[in-house]
Amino acid sequence: MFANRKAVLHVDDDPLITRLVAEYLHHAGFESEAVHDPLMAIAAMVRGQYRIVLLDIHMPHRSGLQLLSEIKS
């Protein structure tokens, strides 16, 4: 299903942070996708096959902890 794809979904409302993390992940051998709106994160989870999800805790509309609960269910 996931094979050996090293894919990370990063959800953060700050584009500077997602850009810095994406560069770090790329150098570490990971593919990554950044989502700046937590309301769009579930759709991104459905579209992609991610082994890791990085969540910002403090975001508008939905906290990272709320989003984590939704992802798990």
Side-chain angles (χ1 to χ4, degrees), residues 5 7-8 11 15 19 21-23 25 32-34 37-38 42 44 48 50 54 57 59 66-67 71 73:
R5 184 169 177 239
V8 177
V11 184
R19 187 169 56 242
V21 170
E23 288 179 25
L25 290 170
S32 68
E33 178 182 352
D37 182 354
I42 299 298
Y50 299 100
L54 297 176
I57 297 296
M59 295 182 286
Q66 291 170 317
L67 192 53
I71 289 169
S73 61

Side-chain angles (χ1 to χ4, degrees), residues 5 13-15 20 28 50-51 58 71:
R5 184 169 177 239
D13 59 320
D14 187 338
L20 291 171
Y50 299 100
R51 306 228 21 175
H58 301 288
I71 289 169

Side-chain angles (χ1 to χ4, degrees), residues 12-13 36-39 56-63 66:
D12 195 312
D13 59 320
H36 298 112
D37 182 354
L39 300 176
D56 183 8
I57 297 296
H58 301 288
M59 295 182 286
H61 309 295
R62 190 169 292 155
S63 77
Q66 291 170 317

